[in-house]
Amino acid sequence: MASIARSSLLRQVASARPAFQQQNVIANAARATAFHTTARRDLLPPLPQHVEGTVNDAAPVPETSPSHGSYHWTFDRLVAGSLIPLTVVPFAAGSLNPTLDAFLCATILIHSHTGFQNIIIDYLPKYRTPRARKIFMWGLNAATAVVGLALYEFETTDVGITETIKRVWTA
Amino acid sequence: MIAQRAGTTALRRVAGKPNAFFTANVAKLGLAQSLSTTQIRPVATQKLTPADGAALLAKQRLQRPVSPHLDVYDKQQTWFGGSIWMRITGSAFSGSLYVFATAYLAAPLLGWHLESASLAASFGALPFAAKGALKFLAAWPFAFHALNGVRHLVFDMTYGIKRQTLIKSGWYVWGASMVGGLYLAFFL
């Protein structure tokens, strides 16, 4: 906030103006600067800007979609809730049979996928970085497919995730 | 500046005794310049197309300051709050799972050994302190993410969202996850 006032004051001083206004602004800038305590530091400076339409157009409102909105949210919570008993059981029972282990892996995979989607949606909004958003989303889809395949291989040719963790932990 | 000030003062002086002849002819006689009370700003205008205007606006937007949020807002909430550590622990776990899974698929091509047997053997060969430290580094995020996950699911059912309850439950989860992590790492 202070940086807005200071930089705008300095910009006024720097630009060519009639003499009396300049003296006034210089006097005010000197008095105001004494109160400024923070330096101006740009955290994540703004990306190259592009003005869509005219300044008189209304702000765009994204269209509503329950499958991307409230249904997705409910699905998220259901998966997270189902993970609670699924992760407690290995501790209680020592290990899991392969079917339950596969179920746990699949649920963890879905949970990770939606979690990463949340991160991408938060930090790469469509209005600001449309291409990066698309690249990362498709990259995530590919990565999840690869991890799904790898977990399948691990379950079938090796002993499974819970058994591996148990062996490594007690090694 | 001084000329205009002199103009207003002079005008105030004659305002008490208005002279009709003078007032009617002051502009014609070219005396208005020094006695004018309206602002005279010699300004030149230039034509701009809407596209040029948009380009100017875009350039100006780059000079706007970014509001410093992480620097100045309540650090207890922004840096120690449950949400960001949920995200950090969650992405650490999922990230390492994704990396391990990809490496497991690529291992035969690169000559690595990432089966459970070799993992257990190489981990068992480490010194006790290293094993304990690595296990704590894995156990604490797990405990934190699990406990805070339960806390967030409780929030989603709209319980415990009063401000004081929220802050207290947050610190309980931090403490419980530390204890849980130590237990999982050293006593399991």
Side-chain angles (χ1 to χ4, degrees), chain A residues 95-105 155-156 158-162:
Chain A
S95 187
L96 292 180
N97 67 46
T99 319
L100 209 52
D101 197 65
F103 201 61
L104 170 67
C105 286
E155 285 294 323
T156 48
D158 216 318
V159 286
I161 290 282
T162 44

Side-chain angles (χ1 to χ4, degrees), chain B residues 26-43:
Chain B
V26 76
K28 193 170 67 169
L29 295 173
L31 299 174
Q33 189 69 19
S34 56
L35 295 178
S36 167
T37 52
T38 59
Q39 278 189 336
I40 300 169
R41 277 185 282 173
V43 170

Side-chain angles (χ1 to χ4, degrees), chain B residues 59-100:
Chain B
K59 200 160 67 89
Q60 180 60 28
R61 279 180 184 173
L62 287 173
Q63 293 175 322
R64 291 180 188 168
V66 176
S67 152
H69 46 292
L70 291 174
D71 261 3
V72 302
Y73 200 68
D74 178 17
K75 290 217 163 67
Q76 183 184 289
Q77 288 181 55
T78 53
W79 290 85
F80 286 99
S83 317
I84 185 57
W85 282 101
M86 276 302 269
R87 183 162 276 189
I88 293 173
T89 53
S91 32
F93 269 123
S94 298
S96 39
L97 173 69
Y98 274 43
V99 165
F100 171 73

